[in-house]
Amino acid sequence: MSRDRGAKTGREIFRHLVLSVCSVIMLYPLLWMIMSSFKPDHLIFSDPTSLPTSFDLSNYVNGWTALRVSFTTFYSNSFIIALLAVVGNLMACSLTAFAFARLEFRFKKFWFALMLGTLMLPYHVTLVPQYVMFLKLGWVNSFLPLIVPKFLAVDAFFVFLMVQFFRGIPREIDEAAIMDGCGPWRIYWKIMLPLSTPVMATAAIFSFIWTYDDFLGPLIYLNDMRSYTVPLALRAFVDSSGGESLYGALFAMSALSLVPVFVVFLAFQRLIIRGVAMSAMKR
């Protein structure tokens, strides 16, 4: 018995050591970025493994106003786009999912399969046609190409996630509501949405994080620096022409840009796990 316990303890210790080493390897780039944000530019790459001798906040102070536009504007742009994208995805995707899960209409299976097929299309396939369409509409260099599609249920992943969740809600609830005189809209608004808090929270969190971190979309449609989002503003610190790049300020602002994502994820991680798990168990 004692030998078995000793062997089991040894395996547990070895497992934890391996996981600790892997965690350090994965976290090293983040830790290096944070340490570099407190160093002067000439020490960041000359001695990349050294710890900062002092916690100098000048990179954070100077980086906030180093560009022609304050980072306050960039954060405001990112939050406006991300929050409106969350609202659009929750409204449009939940309505679409309710129709697929609860309503009966012609060719429903075909349209559902077609919707799932869009998950297999790379974003770059539709990039040029979308840009041409938005250019003809006069929406380029505005937030509209990044926001309006979210109100049209273009994110098939969220539709599928909500469909799986809605299918797990007993249909007897719908039948009882119909007997009380409720139509499809009232069933959706009064019954389905209140029962779907986990999956709605999951969709909202993922939508916020993905939109906030998006670089390619704003890069294509936004040309004026005053309309830049945080990822685009971070790219502006690096001079592509070979001139001087503000790496200290870049790392400082990169560290600050991670704060909203960490706060959202840490605050709602239980809802993310619950929503995904419950949707995966639905038939």
Side-chain angles (χ1 to χ4, degrees):
M1 293 292 291
S2 60
R3 289 183 178 179
D4 292 340
R5 290 180 180 177
K8 184 178 180 180
T9 303
R11 288 194 298 269
E12 290 295 328
I13 294 174
F14 176 75
R15 186 181 305 170
H16 282 81
L17 286 175
V18 172
L19 292 176
S20 299
V21 172
C22 294
S23 299
V24 171
I25 294 174
M26 294 179 64
L27 291 175
Y28 176 75
L30 176 62
L31 297 176
W32 183 86
M33 181 189 71
I34 295 176
M35 290 188 299
S36 300
S37 67
F38 295 102
K39 296 180 182 180
D41 284 351
H42 66 278
L43 293 179
I44 292 177
F45 298 106
S46 62
D47 193 6
T49 59
S50 65
L51 296 174
T53 56
S54 62
F55 289 95
D56 186 7
L57 298 177
S58 60
N59 286 330
Y60 289 85
V61 176
N62 298 331
W64 196 267
T65 56
L67 302 177
R68 298 195 307 269
V69 182
S70 171
F71 247 80
T72 305
T73 302
F74 303 139
Y75 273 105
S76 299
N77 295 338
S78 291
F79 280 117
I80 290 173
I81 295 174
L83 293 177
L84 289 177
V86 169
V87 174
N89 276 332
L90 293 184
M91 291 175 55
C93 293
S94 62
L95 280 170
T96 306
F98 174 75
F100 280 126
R102 285 308 210 237
L103 303 183
E104 296 296 332
F105 51 90
R106 295 184 63 185
F107 308 116
K108 184 174 82 169
K109 293 183 178 180
F110 168 77
W111 293 118
F112 186 70
L114 186 63
M115 183 272 298
L116 291 180
T118 61
L119 289 172
M120 306 176 190
L121 286 176
Y123 177 72
H124 310 82
V125 173
T126 59
L127 184 61
V128 174
Q130 285 182 355
Y131 182 83
V132 172
M133 179 181 66
F134 291 136
L135 180 64
K136 291 183 178 181
L137 291 174
W139 288 4
V140 175
N141 200 26
S142 71
F143 295 160
L144 294 177
L146 305 174
I147 296 174
V148 173
K150 305 298 183 182
F151 287 84
L152 302 176
V154 296
D155 288 321
F157 170 77
F158 296 131
V159 176
F160 176 74
L161 191 71
M162 294 178 186
V163 166
Q164 294 299 98
F165 190 92
F166 289 164
R167 284 175 176 173
I169 299 176
R171 285 188 173 270
E172 289 78 4
I173 299 177
D174 297 21
E175 295 172 359
I178 293 173
M179 292 180 64
D180 288 338
C182 292
W185 173 254
R186 291 190 65 185
I187 293 175
Y188 162 78
W189 185 255
K190 297 291 186 179
I191 298 175
M192 302 300 289
L193 287 186
L195 294 176
S196 306
T197 302
V199 72
M200 298 293 284
T202 302
I205 295 165
F206 277 120
S207 182
F208 177 85
I209 293 176
W210 292 346
T211 306
Y212 179 84
D213 290 339
D214 185 24
F215 175 77
L216 184 58
L219 177 66
I220 294 171
Y221 295 112
L222 302 179
N223 302 322
D224 185 7
M225 181 172 284
R226 293 187 176 276
S227 61
Y228 276 10
T229 58
V230 171
L232 283 185
L234 294 176
R235 178 62 180 83
F237 281 107
V238 181
D239 190 350
S240 59
S241 63
E244 183 179 1
S245 299
L246 304 176
Y247 288 106
L250 169 62
F251 294 143
M253 293 300 101
S254 297
L256 287 181
S257 69
L258 295 176
V259 174
V261 177
F262 275 120
V263 170
V264 170
F265 182 79
L266 293 177
F268 302 103
Q269 59 178 330
R270 290 187 178 181
L271 287 175
I272 295 176
I273 298 172
R274 183 183 174 193
V276 174
M278 293 182 68
S279 298
M281 292 187 296
K282 307 302 181 183
R283 291 183 178 180

